[in-house]
Amino acid sequence: MMETVGIVDLGSNSVRLSVTRIQEDGGYRVIAEVKAVVRLSAEIGPDGAIGAAGLEHTLAVLRDFQRVGKAYGVGRYIAVATAAARQAKNGAEFIAAVTKETGIALQIIPGAEEGELGLTGALNTIAETDGLLIDIGGGSTELVRFSGRRLTAVVSLPYGAVNLTASFLPGGNGGKDAVERLERFLADVLMTVPWLPGARGLPLIGVGGSIRNVGRIDQKAVDYPLPLLHNYRLAPERVAKVYKELRSLSVKERRKVPGLSDDRAEIILPAVAMMQQVLLRSGAGEMVISGTGLREGLLYRHLLQDRESPVLDHVLSHSIANMVHIHGLDERLSREMSRVALALYDGLQPLHKLPDWGRRVLWAAAALAQAGSTVNVFG
């Protein structure tokens, strides 16, 4: 039976909903995504509790999400809350109130689980074997080391774009001294993560809105021709260049930076400072932008619940199989076309002398050759 699932991520800066339709044959596709900025971390008062305004704002957003869910026929919600709810002294009461008022059963997840879910979401769409992952949220930053596509170490630091802004750069602005205090603080914090330097030269996968914004800023600066962020790669010096530019600007000036979202202008600098310090401490060889993370991790954990691990071994194979399902292609014909195409490729190797990636491209193209008929049978 077809299932429509709504996945809710109640974060410290924003609340997000993704709606996924899952077919009987296991094929799935995201059919809607909605985001609202709540800044829940900023709603934690001097007493350490989330105030009434934060509750009302959250309820208003989730009720809007429910209207979207109803329109798409959502039959099940998988909903989690992260750093702000973890850190607030009334976090459990806040989540209970939200659940009671909306009927969406939210669960506060530990930082380590947040990191693991972010890794699952990213690795199931990026074919890296070894490296680091950083997920910068509004109230926390998760760092994950993975090897052989499996998590080997994880830490959740209670510092994110929103609470670091409040502590070091109130309102988003601050002079050179304030920024240097922030950098020293982050450097000291990262010294407590002993396994970071062990990732020297490996990729650093970046998850989160602030990291995606850095990717957009870089794309605008280099006149990148495609409006695609997922798997976009930056050398460490490109991240350093973005950081240097943002450091020199006021919030008002940052709002004019091409690629930077208006709602990130106030909180972006501490997030990029964190990225920069992690790159320096780890010696990572490049930053890889991921458009997937926690919500996708929740989806894969649901989809692949019968597996020992929800992290896929072969990203491309899974992606092609899913496209075969969602486009209703003939699986037997897809396999046969790939077999014939690869036989021709291998037999003609002495003539074309193409590299291994060419074989993978041909295999994928042959497997999906029927897909054009779902657009136009005469095409």
Side-chain angles (χ1 to χ4, degrees):
M1 190 172 82
M2 187 173 290
E3 179 183 30
T4 304
V5 176
I7 297 178
V8 177
D9 169 15
L10 177 56
S12 303
N13 181 55
S14 59
V15 191
R16 295 174 183 267
L17 165 70
S18 63
V19 179
T20 302
R21 191 151 289 158
I22 305 171
Q23 301 172 179
E24 289 185 50
D25 60 8
Y28 60 93
R29 73 170 89 196
V30 177
I31 57 175
E33 289 193 332
V34 190
K35 170 194 170 185
V37 176
V38 175
R39 297 271 168 91
L40 200 57
S41 279
E43 298 291 347
I44 298 177
D47 62 349
I50 299 171
L55 175 61
E56 288 306 313
H57 195 179
T58 301
L59 289 174
V61 167
L62 290 180
R63 285 167 181 148
D64 284 343
F65 284 5
Q66 285 180 303
R67 284 188 276 273
V68 173
K70 184 177 181 181
Y72 284 99
V74 170
R76 175 205 295 249
Y77 283 98
I78 300 171
V80 299
T82 56
R86 283 198 301 266
Q87 294 165 6
K89 75 173 187 180
N90 66 335
E93 293 81 2
F94 169 81
I95 293 303
V98 171
T99 298
K100 179 181 178 181
E101 291 292 326
T102 64
I104 297 176
L106 280 154
Q107 176 187 5
I108 301 175
I109 57 173
E113 183 178 357
E114 184 178 354
E116 184 175 1
L117 286 165
L119 181 70
T120 299
L123 284 190
N124 280 2
T125 57
I126 294 177
E128 295 290 352
T129 301
D130 302 297
L132 286 172
L133 178 135
I134 179 173
D135 183 351
I136 303 176
S140 70
T141 295
E142 282 66 50
L143 296 169
V144 185
R145 177 75 169 91
F146 62 94
S147 180
R149 296 185 60 78
R150 293 295 182 266
L151 183 151
T152 59
V154 59
V155 64
S156 180
L157 306 171
Y159 311 108
V162 175
N163 57 12
L164 284 172
T165 297
S167 297
F168 290 90
L169 305 169
N173 291 309
K176 179 181 177 182
D177 289 346
V179 174
E180 288 179 351
R181 283 196 299 273
L182 169 63
E183 291 172 348
R184 287 194 298 271
F185 174 79
L186 294 176
D188 289 344
V189 167
L190 294 175
M191 287 292 288
T192 67
V193 185
W195 41 264
L196 265 184
R200 183 161 300 276
L202 294 175
L204 173 64
I205 299 176
V207 173
S210 294
I211 291 175
R212 290 192 294 273
N213 268 251
V214 169
R216 290 192 191 97
I217 292 170
D218 185 72
Q219 287 183 340
K220 294 290 185 181
V222 301
D223 199 23
Y224 191 70
L226 300 174
L228 302 173
L229 272 175
H230 185 67
N231 216 4
Y232 183 71
R233 292 167 186 252
L234 300 86
E237 54 265 27
R238 298 295 306 175
V239 177
K241 185 175 181 181
V242 172
Y243 179 52
K244 183 178 179 180
E245 177 187 3
L246 295 176
R247 272 189 59 165
S248 66
L249 303 176
S250 67
V251 172
K252 184 177 180 180
E253 291 168 329
R254 281 181 225 141
R255 295 189 196 282
K256 300 175 184 178
V257 173
L260 179 59
S261 303
D262 188 69
D263 64 352
R264 292 273 170 185
E266 184 179 320
I267 63 171
I268 189 70
L269 193 55
V272 188
M274 177 70 85
M275 290 173 60
Q276 176 72 359
Q277 291 299 319
V278 169
L279 284 167
L280 290 172
R281 170 77 172 144
S282 67
E286 64 179 344
M287 169 72 76
V288 184
I289 308 293
S290 175
T292 57
L294 173 63
R295 292 184 311 287
E296 290 76 17
L298 288 165
L299 172 63
Y300 284 115
R301 190 163 72 178
H302 176 65
L303 285 170
L304 307 175
Q305 56 190 289
D306 294 333
R307 290 170 48 109
E308 181 180 347
S309 169
V311 177
L312 301 167
D313 293 320
H314 303 288
V315 174
L316 183 58
S317 297
H318 177 84
S319 179
I320 288 174
N322 186 50
M323 291 187 71
V324 167
H325 287 310
I326 64 178
H327 288 289
L329 308 184
D330 184 323
E331 292 185 64
R332 182 198 58 78
L333 181 57
S334 178
R335 288 194 297 271
E336 183 62 14
M337 291 179 76
S338 289
R339 185 191 68 77
V340 172
L342 292 183
L344 286 170
Y345 184 95
D346 294 340
L348 295 171
Q349 176 70 35
L351 295 176
H352 61 66
K353 297 183 173 122
L354 292 172
D356 288 345
W357 63 260
R359 193 177 193 275
R360 291 195 300 273
V361 170
L362 181 62
W363 166 67
L368 298 173
Q370 310 165 66
S373 64
T374 67
V375 178
N376 182 353
V377 72
F378 300 110

